[in-house]
Amino acid sequence: MSEGAVLHLKGRVLVGPDDVRDELWVVGGRVTFDRPVMARDAITVTGWALPGLVDAHCHVGLDAHGPVDDATSEKQALTDRDAGALLIRDAGSPSDTRWIDDREDLPRIIRAGRHIARTKRYTRNYAHEIEPEDLVAYVAREARGGDGWVKLVGDWIDRSTGDLGACWPQGAVEAAIAEAHRLGARVTAHCFAEESLAPLVEAGIDCIEHATGLTEDTIPLFAERGVAIVPTLVNIATFPKLAAGGEGKFPRWADHMRRLHARRYDTVRAAYDAGVPVFAGTDAGGALAHGLVADEVAELTKAGLSAVAALSATTWGARDWLGRPGLTEGAPADLVVYGSDPREDVRVLAAPRRVVLRGQVVG
């Protein structure tokens, strides 16, 4: 499709969960619902259209061992794109992927900078590993260099106890989050365990990744403060394997991880039912492959979200949360076309018929 070509999408355009149109046009790379004068020469695509999917927890430029080269980052981004993920919130990467912004054929990325972790309390080669007295300075650094987000590691295995434990004292976290907010950035944190959650929310955090430790005591606090969660259920599915690998050295941790896994669906459903914002993220780029956004949406439905709610977690709601447009008049034409109604069966997300990025058919 040439740069100046007009695209005509016919079928059902899911502008919102209750806003369904019969067609849209792409002119100059942007969405319009008004028939253009050059309509007769348009390229026609048919099907059910959604805004480009959002993977709200992904890692481009990272693999199980740490930073990767540009060629590997490109493959990761292309894999996500071909799966329909056209907007990625990169929840921590040690690689400089700014060059991706200059590529018209690669997804748009909202970066949280590099993870900020306590010394020797995270995966090697991933994070800035620091002590609490340096937290504010490092948060400020990542806030200035990122795209409006900063990523903390809120808890990790504590070798002194043999179990998950919170990483930061309350005062340090409060000061760091306040500094991020002063600089216009939101803060999120990796959290598996229970004990780290309330202090982070009370310190003003904006989002929690994974959030497996939510309980009936902390869910109301999240709902009251409007703190979002990105459950990454395709990642939580790996907990039993992780536990089996580590139980010889850390049996308490292994048992804890199994319990968090066993109640994962109940945890997400209880949070959603209480009004906690829930968004779809895969955690791809560490130990997980890229291109799993459809699997994560399906997992959200297994947790009890309706098909429409799970779709919103990766489309309308997720884009609004991240401050990016959907299929609105004049918006960049980032959309995915399917052969049937994804509101009837979200599994159709695994088989995009067409992927349109910046107005160009790329898949």
Side-chain angles (χ1 to χ4, degrees), residues 192 210 212 235-244 257-258 260-261:
F192 286 159
H210 318 302
T212 45
N235 177 39
I236 306 312
T238 69
F239 277 19
K241 182 178 179 180
L242 295 175
M257 294 290 277
R258 290 191 182 99
L260 294 171
H261 173 266

Side-chain angles (χ1 to χ4, degrees), residues 220-273:
L221 180 62
F222 273 63
E224 176 189 343
R225 302 288 180 91
V227 177
I229 65 170
V230 183
T232 66
L233 288 166
V234 292
N235 177 39
I236 306 312
T238 69
F239 277 19
K241 182 178 179 180
L242 295 175
E247 65 184 337
K249 192 172 184 180
F250 299 113
R252 288 181 59 192
W253 170 83
D255 178 65
H256 196 174
M257 294 290 277
R258 290 191 182 99
R259 286 186 280 113
L260 294 171
H261 173 266
R263 62 181 176 88
R264 67 197 186 283
Y265 292 146
D266 291 339
T267 300
V268 174
R269 177 57 186 268
Y272 177 78
D273 285 348

Side-chain angles (χ1 to χ4, degrees), residues 153-211:
V153 176
D155 60 43
W156 196 249
I157 190 165
D158 183 340
R159 294 175 184 273
S160 67
T161 65
D163 199 359
L164 294 168
C167 292
W168 308 103
Q170 183 75 8
V173 170
E174 289 176 352
I177 292 174
E179 178 66 2
H181 289 170
R182 186 184 71 81
L183 294 169
R186 289 186 277 184
V187 182
T188 191
H190 161 108
C191 292
F192 286 159
E194 294 84 354
E195 69 179 79
S196 61
L197 295 178
L200 286 169
V201 174
E202 290 166 355
I205 205 157
D206 303 283
C207 179
I208 294 291
E209 313 298 316
H210 318 302

Side-chain angles (χ1 to χ4, degrees), residues 326-337:
L327 298 179
T328 56
E329 184 71 31
D334 295 345
L335 57 95
V336 192
V337 182

Side-chain angles (χ1 to χ4, degrees), residues 74-154:
E74 179 186 41
K75 290 178 182 177
Q76 293 173 339
L78 286 170
T79 299
D80 290 321
R81 182 202 73 182
D82 292 345
L86 305 186
L87 178 62
I88 291 169
R89 186 181 63 139
D90 193 318
S93 176
S95 298
D96 181 359
T97 61
R98 288 286 175 189
W99 59 270
I100 289 176
D101 294 347
D102 298 325
R103 287 277 298 269
E104 295 294 311
D105 61 331
L106 295 179
R108 304 171 191 273
I109 299 184
I110 299 171
R111 297 169 184 82
R114 190 170 188 174
H115 302 77
I116 302 173
R118 192 77 178 264
T119 307
K120 295 183 180 180
R121 294 283 299 277
Y122 200 48
T123 307
R124 184 179 298 177
N125 300 324
Y126 275 31
H128 297 299
E129 296 190 18
I130 63 169
E131 288 303 293
E133 58 267 26
D134 295 320
L135 185 59
V136 172
Y138 273 81
V139 164
R141 168 179 167 175
E142 296 307 306
R144 291 189 180 102
D147 296 321
W149 283 90
V150 176
K151 171 73 174 293
L152 306 179
V153 176

